[in-house]
Amino acid sequence: GGYVLAIDPKGEYWPFKKLFKDRVKIVDLSPRGGVAINPFVFSDDDITSISIAQNYLTLALNATGKENRILAISQALERLYQMPTSDRYMENFINKLQEIVNENSYDDVQREARLCISLLESMRRTNIGRMVFGRDSISLFGEKEKMVVVNIKEIPRPDPETDPSRYTENEKQGIALIYLITAITREAAFGLPKNIVKLFAIDEAWVVVSISEGQNLLAEIIRMGRSFNLIPFLISQNVTDLDKPVFKN
């Protein structure tokens, strides 16, 4: 009678579909899956939606620790969320960045907004980057499904032993996308009936834990899970990957 959501980075969850057929839905969010995500529409609450988008863009645009770039992203998001929900998508976010380039009197913010546009246009030309240029939200559960498996097998991720300073650009984009997909799946879980038990399985959880935004996301899932009857199930290479107070507690 409960629900299951699973993040599947290795394509290992297909037996559930074979066993339970129309009760299980597999959503292919691999770069060749043909599905384009809209990062701006995955929560009915604008504050949550902006937070998800801000964190994703901070990661994808290498803005961590770069105050003016974060400010450019934040200002563009503020303008985007003044538009109707149907107009909130990546092309219009780029348009809002262009407005900042044209209007903002702070040279450093202008420069960063222009750089963000260049980075996003470069992303659009890659298999991973173009995945966030969709215009619609993704529906995970239908009328019959009780389990949704989100397949992210082809999204690149670094080796667990690789130092973050040595991540390739592809791996950085992969981590940003995995954060976004985990946040999207969390919102789907919180949108299910509160009184019904839900299991949220996050495989290769070390990828999400490797960034502060991911740690905060998992901490929120754990903290709020009780009131939503949501059981987080973290799967990782090694228990030391989750050797942090929030997970121990």
Side-chain angles (χ1 to χ4, degrees), residues 167-226:
Y167 288 172
T168 66
E169 188 57 36
N170 237 22
E171 289 168 343
K172 290 178 183 177
Q173 292 298 326
I175 288 175
L177 196 52
I178 289 170
Y179 163 82
L180 179 62
I181 290 168
T182 305
I184 290 168
T185 311
R186 176 203 61 180
E187 289 305 301
F190 285 169
L192 294 169
K194 273 191 176 185
N195 61 320
I196 297 178
V197 172
K198 296 162 283 289
L199 175 70
F200 187 7
I202 304 172
D203 208 339
E204 299 279 10
W206 68 268
V207 179
V208 185
V209 174
S210 69
I211 51 174
S212 60
E213 292 86 353
Q215 289 181 35
N216 293 335
L217 179 67
L218 292 181
E220 184 182 8
I221 291 170
I222 292 167
R223 186 177 67 253
M224 295 180 62
R226 268 182 251 176

Side-chain angles (χ1 to χ4, degrees), residues 77-90:
L77 282 173
E78 185 178 345
R79 297 180 186 213
L80 183 71
Y81 277 83
Q82 291 173 359
M83 302 177 73
T85 303
S86 59
D87 292 331
R88 299 172 187 172
Y89 48 85
M90 192 62 79

Side-chain angles (χ1 to χ4, degrees), residues 152-172:
I152 59 170
K153 183 179 179 180
E154 294 181 6
I155 295 177
R157 57 188 187 276
D159 186 275
E161 304 303 320
T162 302
D163 187 277
S165 64
R166 297 176 58 196
Y167 288 172
T168 66
E169 188 57 36
N170 237 22
E171 289 168 343
K172 290 178 183 177

